[in-house]
Amino acid sequence: MTAPHGFSVSRYAPERGTLAKLTARDSVLRRLDWPILLSALALSFIGSLLVWSATRGRTELNQGDPYYFLFRHVLNTGIGLALMIGTVWLGHRTLRGAVPILYGISILLILAVLTPLGATINGAHAWIVVGGGFSLQPSEFVKITIILVMAMLLAAKVDAGDQLHPDHRTVAKALGLAALPMGIVMLMPDLGSVMVMAVIVLGVLLASGASNRWVLGLIGAGIAGAVLVTTLGMLDEYQINRFAAFANPDLDPAGVGYNTNQARIAIGSGGLLGAGLFKGSQTTGQFVPEQQTDFVFTVAGEELGFVGAGLILVLLGVILWRACRIARETTELYGTIVAAGIIAWFAFQAFENIGMTLGIMPVAGLPLPFVSYGGSSMFAVWVAIGLLQSIRVQRPMTA
């Protein structure tokens, strides 16, 4: 049969078939959690503008190119998206079988930081310089590894139908595997990352259905560990100064308290609608240190005001809300634990980052997910989004 204007119907049937497959109810595109994906993309877009505003005038950082950090932030986001797609394509269940390999690679990478390959940036010896102006922070990927290795162990017998909850021996093994990389990261020392990992472990235990005695014991061990670390002098001077400035904001406002004071001034000056993008006096005057990374939220507060800063919080809230739905609706404990670990990670890290700019949390050197400049952190959070999407895509279809 010939269609109007002489075009053959059969010639175009494959195209309609391909479109139908892409839009079918059981297709990957239809089953993706679009609120999470769009919120993460919006945060990365906002972050690119904030990073650009914070760095375009800093010739000592951008090598004379005002677009230097903007281009790299967009590039990091693109690579992160590719990693997310790859994670969804592989699937969290496939990655479950590769967890021992991923765990071993993570241990080797963080051990490499303690060798001459490691580099110190912003006071933390937590980086590996790979050349071309790029560096790698292995502790960002350790967060993912801890989630996966603990989920693999804690869910194995439960998903197989042998147990209702993880037994004590299994929980002990999972905690031991998490403690090894955390101890190595503490030697760097990267206290901020260790804090995030500890919250991840707590979130994983709560989601696994492990005995409350383990949860209470972990909290007690964390408090005892903090006291021990402080008593033994394992913290560097700059870390001690950060906690001192948090406890007493008026302590040495031109020294250890400078970052926090300038951050609060920047956010407080923004008002409801802000001074306008690229028009913040604190940002253009370069008064806030590390404004493209740890203190990027101050750019939002000053230049976009309460409305713009609030939008960032809303988008982060959407991601956490949808992640909670994914954790609740999956039929396997492994998926629930992985989602819960990511929720704990994102929630605490965002709270800590924003809290330190407001003076309600100590400065810990943690990036704001999707918004702060940084390749390793961007790659890690997009892999986490890929894991969430995989859990949603691979769940059984409901009638």
Side-chain angles (χ1 to χ4, degrees):
M1 185 178 71
T2 302
H5 307 293
F7 293 108
S8 171
V9 173
S10 61
R11 179 182 176 184
Y12 290 90
E15 292 189 11
R16 289 200 299 271
T18 301
L19 181 61
K21 289 179 181 179
L22 291 175
T23 58
R25 183 171 176 265
D26 61 346
S27 69
V28 173
L29 286 180
R30 286 285 297 274
R31 302 191 73 184
L32 287 176
D33 193 299
W34 285 98
I36 280 185
L37 180 57
L38 294 177
S39 295
L41 284 171
L43 285 170
S44 295
F45 174 73
I46 294 171
S48 66
L49 295 178
L50 300 181
V51 168
W52 187 19
S53 178
T55 59
R56 65 192 185 97
R58 301 204 172 194
T59 55
E60 78 281 5
L61 296 177
N62 62 26
Q63 303 180 14
D65 180 5
Y67 301 99
Y68 179 83
F69 283 92
L70 172 63
F71 171 76
R72 288 181 172 236
H73 188 83
V74 173
L75 176 62
N76 289 337
T77 302
I79 296 173
L81 276 169
L83 291 173
M84 182 207 74
I85 294 171
T87 303
V88 175
W89 179 73
L90 285 172
H92 67 290
R93 291 171 183 163
T94 301
L95 289 174
R96 184 176 189 170
V99 166
I101 298 174
L102 296 175
Y103 182 82
I105 293 173
S106 296
I107 295 296
L108 291 176
L109 285 174
I110 54 178
L111 284 174
V113 173
L114 302 178
T115 71
L117 294 174
T120 301
I121 299 177
N122 298 330
H125 192 78
W127 305 80
I128 297 175
V129 177
V130 296
F134 291 93
S135 56
L136 182 71
Q137 189 177 10
S139 58
E140 290 292 335
F141 304 103
V142 171
K143 299 170 186 175
I144 299 174
T145 304
I146 287 177
I147 293 172
L148 293 177
V149 74
M150 291 190 71
M152 180 190 70
L153 280 174
L154 294 172
K157 294 182 179 179
V158 177
D159 285 340
D162 298 332
Q163 296 176 349
L164 293 177
H165 305 289
D167 57 41
H168 292 304
R169 179 177 295 182
T170 301
V171 174
K173 289 179 180 179
L175 289 177
L177 287 175
L180 176 59
M182 289 174 65
I184 298 173
V185 172
M186 192 64 208
L187 294 176
M188 295 180 183
D190 186 355
L191 182 60
S193 293
V194 172
M195 290 168 58
V196 176
M197 293 173 194
V199 172
I200 287 173
V201 171
L202 182 60
V204 164
L205 282 184
L206 288 170
S208 71
S211 171
N212 289 333
R213 285 180 291 178
W214 283 104
V215 177
L216 295 175
L218 183 63
I219 295 174
I223 296 173
V227 173
L228 185 64
V229 165
T230 304
T231 304
L232 296 179
M234 295 178 64
L235 298 179
D236 283 351
E237 184 178 358
Y238 80 95
Q239 292 173 318
I240 297 174
N241 289 338
R242 285 176 174 179
F243 282 100
F246 167 68
N248 182 10
D250 297 324
L251 176 66
D252 193 11
V256 296
Y258 178 81
N259 289 17
T260 302
N261 287 329
Q262 293 301 321
R264 289 192 294 179
I265 291 172
I267 294 176
S269 65
L272 180 63
L273 300 177
L277 195 62
F278 309 132
K279 297 180 180 179
S281 58
Q282 289 290 108
T283 300
T284 56
Q286 304 177 16
F287 291 105
V288 183
E290 306 303 330
Q291 203 171 12
Q292 75 277 15
T293 53
D294 300 346
F295 288 91
V296 71
F297 191 74
T298 63
V299 186
E302 181 181 29
E303 298 189 346
L304 304 181
F306 178 81
V307 172
L311 177 60
I312 292 176
L313 294 178
V314 169
L315 292 171
L316 287 168
V318 169
I319 292 175
L320 294 175
W321 163 56
R322 298 298 299 185
C324 286
R325 287 196 59 177
I326 291 173
R328 186 177 66 249
E329 292 175 358
T330 183
T331 57
E332 56 181 6
L333 181 60
Y334 175 74
T336 298
I337 293 176
V338 171
I342 294 171
I343 293 166
W345 167 14
F346 284 7
F348 177 77
Q349 189 160 315
F351 177 76
E352 165 60 34
N353 177 276
I354 296 172
M356 72 183 186
T357 65
L358 299 175
I360 62 174
M361 291 293 285
V363 176
L366 292 173
L368 183 58
F370 305 101
V371 182
S372 293
Y373 175 79
S376 298
S377 60
M378 185 68 78
F379 303 158
V381 294
W382 276 107
V383 168
I385 292 295
L387 288 170
L388 290 173
Q389 296 288 10
S390 173
I391 295 169
R392 177 178 170 82
V393 166
Q394 295 188 16
R395 70 178 181 176
M397 293 287 292
T398 56

